[in-house]
Amino acid sequence: MRNLPPLAAVRVFEAAARHENFTTAAEELGMSQAAVSYQVKSLEAWLGVPLFRRERGRVALLDTAAPLATQASAAFDLLNEAVARVRAADEALLTISSYATFSNRFLAPRLGGFQLDHPNLAVRLDVNDRMIDFARADIDVAIRTGWGDWPGLHSQFLMRVQYGPMASPGFVESYGPFDVPDSIMASRLLSPDDRWWSRWSRHFGIADAPPTPAIRLDSQMVEGNAALAGQGIAMLDPALWSEELGDGRLVQIGPAIYGQASVWIVCPDHQRNQPKIKAFRDWLVREAETHPMRRIIRLDPHDPQRELEQVT
């Protein structure tokens, strides 16, 4: 175990010894001259020996204290270099936390473009459905769903959460037609107890069906893959399945509606203008704004839950 004096006092002593002037040391450290004098005296008391000769308002470093001053300066130089290396490494790595569906369906296919634009910045994607604590986790930015009102965090809107029923063309051909919402609700639903199904059916005035044996999956990602395999109808976000909708592997068989929450990119408020965070936030906002299905529905301004028309 190291037997060290208070490092704050050593730091003040090192500056005072280097300048041999308490006032100049105080200016460098952003302290008062009295505070410098106090810290030096506290170090002398801890060591049990004087460090400066004080005479007529001037101070001079004692010869016996010179080796301590030299070693303290060398130690702070080494510490400064180590801190600089850590900062440089931190500035070269961006760590993102995002929930699984958004990570797989939106971020992962696009992150290569961000990397090409910022070749000196390494990117690490932490896929986690839990809400991370920035004070405890080594995370720079996170993707969250909610209302954007998290205390102490800067939140930037990305897109509204929306959802609509989707199935494979083969399933539609075998079990359709699905020309009205009732026919959809009467078919084979994937995860029918999901709250999105309940909200979608109520939106169209359909009573919740009694529980029946069904396939229950734990994420939109798994539900979408099951729908692609022709296993049933999944309630999915069109913005996250636009590629499959575009090439015909999935068919949206009913209107999509907006959920109550939105998708946000968040970071600690005091770090919002850190260059690597700002660069990623600006890039991701542009990606969301140019997404072809970001505004698939035009909403009634008097009733945000009622769509006026489908935009194709």
Side-chain angles (χ1 to χ4, degrees):
M1 180 177 177
R2 294 183 176 89
N3 184 24
L4 296 174
L7 291 184
V10 176
R11 178 169 174 260
V12 170
F13 161 72
E14 188 275 335
R18 187 160 24 88
H19 295 292
E20 287 196 306
N21 187 295
F22 284 7
T23 301
T24 305
E27 292 173 353
E28 177 185 309
L29 299 172
M31 305 170 63
S32 67
Q33 190 271 342
V36 170
S37 179
Y38 172 81
Q39 289 288 355
V40 170
K41 287 180 179 178
S42 69
L43 181 60
E44 289 176 328
W46 192 91
L47 293 169
V49 295
L51 299 171
F52 292 92
R53 181 172 62 254
R54 297 165 175 83
E55 53 185 26
R56 297 182 181 180
R58 297 176 64 252
V59 296
L61 184 68
L62 293 173
D63 292 341
T64 53
L68 177 60
T70 301
Q71 292 298 318
S73 291
F76 281 118
D77 286 342
L78 287 174
L79 182 59
N80 184 68
E81 291 175 7
V83 169
R85 286 194 296 270
V86 170
R87 284 180 172 173
D90 180 67
E91 290 171 359
L93 173 65
L94 176 73
T95 304
I96 308 158
S97 174
S98 175
Y99 60 97
T101 300
F102 193 86
S103 297
N104 284 283
R105 303 303 309 169
F106 193 94
L107 267 184
R110 292 171 170 80
L111 273 178
F114 176 76
Q115 186 84 66
L116 288 174
D117 291 342
H118 301 83
N120 296 322
L121 184 61
V123 178
R124 181 172 71 90
L125 178 58
D126 175 50
V127 180
N128 196 328
D129 287 337
R130 296 191 304 274
M131 186 176 291
I132 61 101
D133 181 355
F134 281 95
R136 297 177 180 273
D138 186 20
I139 299 294
D140 296 305
V141 294
I143 310 300
R144 290 184 177 179
T145 57
W147 289 266
D149 56 352
W150 298 282
L153 299 183
H154 173 72
S155 303
Q156 176 72 50
F157 172 82
L158 291 177
M159 61 180 68
R160 290 282 298 276
V161 171
Q162 50 183 321
Y163 44 93
M166 302 181 197
S168 69
F171 185 90
V172 174
E173 183 178 353
S174 298
Y175 299 98
F178 300 108
D179 48 358
V180 293
D182 296 82
S183 64
I184 296 172
M185 295 302 299
S187 186
R188 187 193 306 166
L189 307 183
L190 298 171
S191 300
D193 54 351
D194 191 295
R195 66 182 184 277
W196 282 16
W197 275 115
S198 179
R199 291 173 181 171
W200 189 86
S201 62
R202 287 199 305 269
H203 180 84
F204 294 101
I206 304 171
D208 290 344
T212 57
I215 298 176
R216 288 174 171 82
L217 305 170
D218 65 356
S219 74
Q220 184 181 164
M221 186 70 190
V222 179
E223 292 164 4
N225 286 332
L228 285 166
Q231 298 300 303
I233 305 172
M235 188 63 73
L236 305 174
D237 188 333
L240 302 182
W241 297 86
S242 59
E243 182 178 338
E244 290 77 4
L245 289 170
D247 62 22
R249 284 179 289 160
L250 281 177
V251 178
Q252 186 170 322
I253 59 176
I257 64 173
Y258 279 117
Q260 297 176 340
S262 297
V263 184
W264 306 79
I265 178 171
V266 301
C267 68
D269 192 65
H270 67 280
Q271 294 181 342
R272 60 189 293 184
N273 291 321
Q274 188 174 345
K276 65 178 181 180
I277 292 176
K278 186 177 185 303
F280 178 72
R281 182 175 63 242
D282 292 346
W283 170 83
L284 189 57
V285 168
R286 288 194 301 271
E287 290 292 316
E289 287 177 345
T290 57
H291 192 284
M293 302 190 76
R294 184 172 182 256
R295 291 184 175 87
I296 191 170
I297 299 172
R298 185 166 66 88
L299 298 180
D300 183 342
H302 303 295
D303 181 4
Q305 292 303 310
R306 184 172 76 88
E307 67 271 11
L308 295 176
E309 62 180 340
Q310 284 290 119
V311 179
T312 59

